[in-house]
Amino acid sequence: MKEPLVPVIPMSHTAHIRSHRKPRRSATSSIALRAGVAGGVLSMAAAGASASASAAEPVTQTIELPTLTADLSAQVAQSAAATQQAAANYELRAERDAAAAKAATEAKKDLAEAKKQAEAKKKAAEAARKAAAERANRSTERATLSASTSASASTSVSAPASGSVATVIAFLKAQVGDAYVLGATGPNAWDCSSLVQAAYKQVGVDLPRVSQDQSMAGTDVPLSSVQVGDILYWGGKGSAYHTGVYIGNGQYLDAANPSKGVVIQDLSGYPASGAVRVL
């Protein structure tokens, strides 16, 4: 009986050497390993999630930042509006202050003008009162002129003052303060020649109306020998432009001009051109 054949399996020439490879893990070990790895990963993920959660706090603040920015914008807008309103109030106040200052200036100006006008009216009233008083005095003097004696009249003028010369001088002095009006013949306004004519008419001497003709009347008298009552003239003889009457003491009386009226003046201040004597 033949022996059964045993199959011969060729062996590696290193088969007798103990294998240096790690033994193959069992399925259970592999699953456990994988579970462990997964658990580690999950742990790391959880840790990362925790770390992410910790790091997410700034993210949470960043998420809230738009809300804070919006509030800040609203506050800035509100502050800008308040600033603009304050500026408008300051501008309005400045305008009101300027208007008040202008009104005060105008009021001060109006007050000064009112005072000026009141003062002018007061002066005008005083001048009118004074003129009225002077006119009343002259009227009184004129009323009593005819009753004056030659003796009393002669004491008011220097020699050689006859009764006629004294009457002329008294009449002239009664007109002092009257107005000068060209062409006027009294009783409260005169020009130069009409006053001279009216004065001599008081004693019956009829003189020409105008100064040119009056310079030709009577007898010529040198200015060095002029006496009270002599007629003075300015300008050429026969072409004189002004006349007055010498009243003594180097003075003459005339209806001078619109600004002075009838006044007494010094002959030295306005020397005459010549003189004539009619009395």
Side-chain angles (χ1 to χ4, degrees), residues 6 45 50 55 67 162 182 279:
V6 177
S50 176
T67 303
S162 66
L182 183 62
L279 290 176

Side-chain angles (χ1 to χ4, degrees), residues 162-199:
S162 66
S164 298
V165 172
T167 299
V168 170
I169 300 304
F171 175 84
L172 290 170
K173 288 185 175 181
Q175 315 312 312
V176 172
D178 280 358
Y180 175 99
V181 178
L182 183 62
T185 57
N188 298 314
W190 313 87
D191 62 17
C192 64
S193 57
S194 70
L195 179 62
V196 173
Q197 183 187 47

Side-chain angles (χ1 to χ4, degrees), residues 116-249:
K116 183 177 179 181
Q117 292 179 359
E119 186 66 21
K121 289 181 179 179
K122 182 179 179 181
K123 289 182 178 180
E126 181 64 21
R129 185 195 63 78
K130 184 177 180 180
E134 290 177 351
R135 284 195 297 270
N137 291 335
R138 286 196 297 271
S139 297
T140 302
E141 290 177 0
R142 288 166 184 165
T144 59
L145 183 60
S146 60
S148 299
T149 64
S150 59
S152 61
S154 62
T155 60
S156 64
V157 295
S158 59
S162 66
S164 298
V165 172
T167 299
V168 170
I169 300 304
F171 175 84
L172 290 170
K173 288 185 175 181
Q175 315 312 312
V176 172
D178 280 358
Y180 175 99
V181 178
L182 183 62
T185 57
N188 298 314
W190 313 87
D191 62 17
C192 64
S193 57
S194 70
L195 179 62
V196 173
Q197 183 187 47
Y200 283 91
K201 190 175 182 180
Q202 302 301 312
V203 294
V205 177
D206 190 12
L207 291 177
R209 170 65 180 83
V210 296
S211 58
Q212 293 91 334
D213 295 336
Q214 289 177 0
S215 67
M216 298 293 291
T219 304
D220 289 337
V221 179
L223 291 175
S224 60
S225 302
V226 70
Q227 295 180 0
V228 176
D230 289 343
I231 298 173
L232 303 174
Y233 63 86
W234 285 259
K237 187 174 179 64
S239 60
Y241 59 84
H242 187 67
T243 56
V245 177
Y246 184 70
I247 62 173
N249 299 321

